[in-house]
Amino acid sequence: MPIFAKVGEKEITRAIADMFHETLTEYADADVIILGAGPSGLMAGKELASMKFKTLIVEQNNYIGGGFWVGGYMMNPVTVRAPAQKIFDELKIQYKQVADGLYATPGPNACSKLIAAACDAGVKFLNLTKFDDLVLRDKRVTGVVVNWMPVSALPRNITCVDPVALEAKVVIDASGHDSVAVKRLKERGLVNFAGMNPMWVEQSEDLVVEHTGEVFPGLIAAGMAVTETFGLPRMGPTFGGMLLSGKKAAEIATLKLKEVAHVKIR
C-alpha cells in the first residue's frame, strides 16, 4: 500500500520552476531589495515586509542567516547586549542572562526564528545569486544587477553569461564585510569608504546603529557594511548591533519610500 501521493517527476519540476518564475517576475520590480541575508538584512526585511512592502533579499550563499548561525571561533552560542534582548522577546527566542546586560542563546535557535519571521512576513529570497553592479538613474540607485553565483566560480572563457537587472525604489546594502554596493560606488568615486577599524565592542555597536542610513540616494547601508563604510571598530561575535541596525535601516527605507517614491504603506 503506497504511503505517498501519486505525483511524478514532471509535476515536481513544474512546481519548482513555476514558483521561482513567479518570484522573479513579481520582484523584478520591488519596493526594496536587500543585499545579504545575515541578521541585519533579515531584520530589515522582516520589518519592511511586515508593512507589506515588496521586499526581496539577494543572497550569494545557498543558505540564509550569514554569521548568525554561529557566534565566534566556530562556537555557536550568540550573544546580545541590552537592549537587544527585546528583539529576542519579540521573535520568541529563548535566551538566558549570562552577565549584567549580556544575554546568550544558541545560534541555530535565534537564526531559525529570525528566518521564519522574515518568511512569515512575506520576504522573498533569491539565493545563490551574486551582486554584480548597481542600476543608477539621475544620480540615484534604482536597482541591482545580479548573476548566478556559480557563474563567477567558472573559468572566464566558458562563462560569458550576461547578468540581469532587478529594479527597486530602495536598496539596502547588508552584505557584511563585503559591502558590495557601497564599494561599487566607491570604485566610481561616488562615495567615501574608510574600511573597518580594530575591535572595540562597547563602541562599535552604538556607532553602527548611529551611522546606519542612506550613504547615496537610494542606497542604505546596514550592519557590517556600515562598519566598513565609516571605518568603525569591529564588533566581534555579538549581534545586538546587527539586529538594531537592520531595524533602523527598515525605518529609514520606509521614510524614503514615502518621501521619494510616494509608496503607500499597505
Side-chain angles (χ1 to χ4, degrees):
M1 187 72 177
I3 297 174
F4 296 102
K6 186 175 175 57
V7 177
E9 286 79 2
K10 59 181 178 297
E11 286 85 7
I12 294 169
T13 300
R14 285 169 182 157
I16 295 169
D18 286 349
M19 286 188 70
F20 183 84
H21 184 259
E22 286 171 9
T23 298
L24 193 59
T25 299
E26 183 176 355
Y27 286 79
D29 181 15
D31 291 327
V32 182
I33 291 178
I34 299 170
L35 301 169
S40 63
L42 286 169
M43 193 70 207
K46 181 195 83 69
E47 296 287 292
L48 289 160
S50 295
M51 291 183 279
K52 306 303 181 188
F53 291 121
K54 283 172 61 178
T55 305
L56 177 70
I57 297 184
V58 173
E59 169 57 53
Q60 67 178 358
N61 290 307
N62 65 345
Y63 64 90
I64 292 162
F68 205 30
W69 290 110
V70 294
Y73 202 65
M74 298 180 71
M75 300 180 288
N76 73 16
V78 297
T79 63
V80 299
R81 295 185 300 147
Q85 85 282 1
K86 293 178 182 176
I87 292 180
F88 283 178
D89 292 330
E90 178 187 326
L91 297 173
K92 295 182 170 48
I93 296 169
Q94 294 183 350
Y95 60 90
K96 64 179 181 179
Q97 184 170 358
V98 293
D100 189 20
L102 181 64
Y103 304 86
T105 188
N109 180 36
C111 193
S112 59
K113 290 284 183 65
L114 180 54
I115 292 170
C119 291
D120 290 345
V123 175
K124 300 298 182 185
F125 295 90
L126 288 180
N127 55 351
L128 282 172
T129 301
K130 186 177 178 61
F131 169 87
D132 189 80
D133 206 344
L134 291 162
V135 179
L136 293 176
R137 293 285 186 277
D138 300 322
K139 298 180 181 178
R140 178 180 177 81
V141 171
T142 59
V144 299
V145 181
V146 297
N147 211 334
W148 292 112
M149 179 62 188
V151 169
S152 64
L154 295 173
R156 176 68 180 168
N157 60 342
I158 60 171
T159 56
C160 295
V161 178
D162 277 333
V164 296
L166 307 168
E167 295 187 21
K169 299 170 182 67
V170 174
V171 174
I172 297 176
D173 187 344
S175 63
H177 293 295
D178 292 340
S179 310
V180 289
V182 180
K183 284 181 178 174
R184 191 67 86 221
L185 292 177
K186 174 210 168 192
E187 291 165 4
R188 297 188 169 102
L190 297 174
V191 298
N192 295 321
F193 187 85
M196 182 179 61
N197 273 322
M199 187 183 292
W200 189 353
V201 172
E202 289 184 345
Q203 281 209 347
S204 63
E205 289 204 284
D206 288 334
L207 289 172
V208 75
V209 177
E210 179 184 327
H211 284 76
T212 296
E214 192 176 44
V215 296
F216 189 82
L219 180 66
I220 295 167
M224 292 306 297
V226 178
T227 306
E228 295 281 353
T229 300
F230 294 98
L232 307 180
R234 69 186 305 161
M235 65 184 63
T238 189
F239 291 86
M242 299 289 93
L243 297 171
L244 293 185
S245 174
K247 207 173 186 68
K248 183 177 177 181
E251 294 169 358
I252 295 168
T254 301
L255 291 175
K256 297 299 173 186
L257 286 165
K258 289 192 291 185
E259 293 172 1
V260 179
H262 307 294
V263 175
K264 293 181 180 178
I265 297 178
R266 292 163 227 175

